[in-house]
Amino acid sequence: MATTVIVGGIKPDLKILGDTQKFLFESPNGILRLENVLPIESNVINLDLDLLNIQEKGYRVGFYSESGNINGVFHLSSLEYQQNQQNSGIVGSFLMTFNENGSDQFLFYKDINVNNNKISNVPTPVADTDAANKIFVVDYVNSVLPAILPISLIGDITGSGVTGTPINTSLGDTINRTTNQIFNYTATGSTAASFDFDLTIPNSTNKTLKLRMNRANTNNGVGYEFQFYAPTNGVDTFTFGYNSGTVFGVIYSIANNAPVINYNYALNINDLGTYKPYNGSYGYLSSSGGTGTSTGQNPYSINCNNRVKASEFNAVSSIKTKNIESSGEDIEEEALKIFSNIPFFKYSYKDKIKNGEGVTFGVIAEPLKEILPDYVVEDKSFVPNILQSCLIKPITECSYELVFKEKLSNIESNKLQLILPNKSIEVEILKTTSKRLTISCSTKLPNNGFAYGTFENCPSVTKNKLFELSMVVLKTTLKRVDILENELKNIAHQNR
C-alpha cells in the first residue's frame, strides 16, 4: 500500500523514539526526497543532511544552488561547533565537492590514500607519446585535484592502456615545461633509506647515456654534460665535459669504478683558508730551496693521505709577509754566537719504515729548546714507543686485551695507535700492565695487530728557521775564510 503523508510542520526539537527509525516502501521505486521549494531566482538555496554526535561534531552531505548555477553544487563537509564572542554555531569545511556546471570534476580537499587497492579503468592516453603507464595515471589523477594537495597511490594501477611493473614506454623527443620541474621524494620509514632516479642503458652494444645542461638549441647546444658509456665488452666510463656545440671536451673521467679520477683541465683553488684538518708534525719545502720539518695547525687547500707526485713544486716567499729587523754585518756576529751554542747529535730513527735506516746528524728538540725556544714547537703525536705485534683477545663487545711478548715502558697516554691489516685506528687504553693493555674499541677487531705507539708530548723543530740561520752562519764563515786566506797570501808574499 502506497501512502503519501504531508507534514505541514515539525518542531525543531522533535525526538525519535527507539534505536532505529525505518521508512518502509511498498513500491519498486522508493524515494525519500528533501526538496526546497523557494524560488531560485532570488535566493541561494541550501539543502543539507547533518550527522552529528552529542558534542555537535560530525559530517554534512549537502547541496546548494543559485540563479547562476541551477544544477548546483554537491558537497561533503566536516562539522564542528565553535563558540566565540561575535558568533557561535556549527562551522563546516569542505572535504569534497562536485560542480557539474563548473569543472565537472570531483574536487578533493584532503589527501587520498587508496591503501593496497587499485585504481582501475584509467582512460587510455590520446597519443602514443602520452606514455600509457603509471606516470600518465598520476598526472591524470593529479590534474583533477587542487595543486597543493598531493595524492598517495599505494599498490599497482591497472586499467585500459596501463602496464604493470616494470613500466615500458616511449616519450616524445622534447618535453616542454614553463616552470621548474621538481622531483620531491617524501617516503618515510624503511622505504626512506634511499631514493633512486635511474637512467638505464639496456643490454646492447656500445651505448652512451647523456645528461645535458645546455643553451636552447635545436641541436646539441653549448653547455656541459655527463656521459656514461657502456660497451658490451670493455670498460664502463663516466665522463664530465664541456660541449661547445660541435666538440665534446673531457674535463674529468673515471673508468670501471677505478680509484682514480683523470683530470684534463688545470685546477685553481682559491679557498677561504679556514680548512685545518691536521695539527702535528709535517715536512716542508721553502721558497729558498730549503727542506725540513715543523709542526702546528695550518690552513690547507688539499688534504692527501698518500704522496704527491709532480714534475716540479714551486714555493713562494715574499717580503710582503715579513718585517725586516736588520741585515748584513749586523746579524753575522749574532748568528755565529747562537749557532755555536746549539748542541748537535748523531742519531737514528726508531720508525725505520717511515724515516729509513742509517744514522743522521742534527738537532734534538728538547735540548734545542733551552737555547732557542722559538725554534721549537710544542706538539702531541703518536710516537713509536711500542712497535710490537700483539694478540687481540675480546673481553666484551667493546673491550679487548692486547698481549705483547716484550715489556712495555714509557706509556703516559691513554690513546694508542693500532695498525690492522687494512687500516690504522686510534683506541683508548683502559689499563696497562707490563705486557698487556686493556683497550676500548667499538669496532670489531681481528685476532692480531701491531701497536705503533701512544699519543705523547712530542716537540718538533721548526727546521726552516734553523736552515735559514745556518745559511747566515755559512755565508759569514765563508766570508771570514776568504779574509783569512787573503791575509795568509799577503804574509807569504812578504816573507819571500
Side-chain angles (χ1 to χ4, degrees), residues 209-216 219-227 238-252 265:
L209 187 66
K210 299 180 180 181
L211 176 61
R212 290 176 174 166
M213 295 159 284
N214 52 25
R215 298 181 182 180
N219 296 314
N220 288 343
V222 176
Y224 294 88
E225 67 182 57
F226 294 94
Q227 292 188 2
F238 176 78
T239 304
F240 174 70
Y242 179 74
N243 189 351
S244 66
T246 56
V247 178
F248 176 76
V250 176
I251 296 177
Y252 67 80
Y265 283 43

Side-chain angles (χ1 to χ4, degrees), residues 125-179:
V126 177
D128 294 338
T129 56
D130 284 342
N133 54 33
K134 191 176 229 179
I135 297 175
F136 172 81
V137 175
V138 173
D139 287 342
Y140 178 85
V141 176
N142 280 335
S143 67
V144 303
L145 295 175
I148 60 173
L149 297 176
I151 183 169
S152 175
L153 298 175
I154 301 175
D156 293 334
I157 299 175
T158 61
S160 175
V162 178
T163 62
T165 303
I167 294 172
N168 298 307
T169 184
S170 297
L171 298 177
D173 293 337
T174 303
I175 300 176
N176 295 318
R177 289 188 59 85
T178 58
T179 58

Side-chain angles (χ1 to χ4, degrees), residues 95-110:
L95 300 177
M96 180 272 294
T97 62
F98 178 78
N99 185 354
E100 186 175 355
N101 283 358
S103 61
D104 196 22
Q105 297 172 341
F106 285 94
L107 300 180
F108 293 89
Y109 297 83
K110 298 290 184 180

Side-chain angles (χ1 to χ4, degrees), residues 394-414:
I395 301 175
T396 65
E397 185 177 354
C398 297
S399 64
Y400 296 84
E401 185 180 56
L402 309 184
V403 182
F404 301 91
K405 293 182 178 180
E406 304 293 333
K407 287 186 177 181
L408 304 174
S409 60
N410 300 323
I411 296 178
E412 301 175 358
S413 170
N414 65 341

Side-chain angles (χ1 to χ4, degrees), residues 421-488:
N422 58 350
K423 61 181 177 179
S424 175
I425 63 173
E426 298 178 11
V427 298
E428 180 184 1
I429 300 176
L430 302 177
K431 182 180 178 181
T432 304
T433 60
S434 61
K435 292 185 178 182
R436 297 173 185 266
L437 293 177
T438 303
I439 64 171
S440 173
C441 180
S442 58
T443 303
K444 186 177 181 179
L445 300 180
N447 296 327
N448 297 277
F450 184 85
Y452 180 81
T454 54
F455 196 72
E456 309 284 353
N457 291 324
C458 186
S460 60
V461 177
T462 54
K463 291 188 177 180
N464 59 324
K465 291 184 177 181
L466 193 61
F467 174 79
E468 292 176 352
L469 173 64
S470 302
M471 292 177 61
V472 176
V473 172
L474 179 60
K475 181 179 179 181
T476 303
T477 303
L478 292 175
K479 180 180 178 180
R480 294 189 177 189
V481 169
D482 288 340
I483 294 173
L484 291 175
E485 286 181 347
N486 289 332
E487 289 181 354
L488 288 174

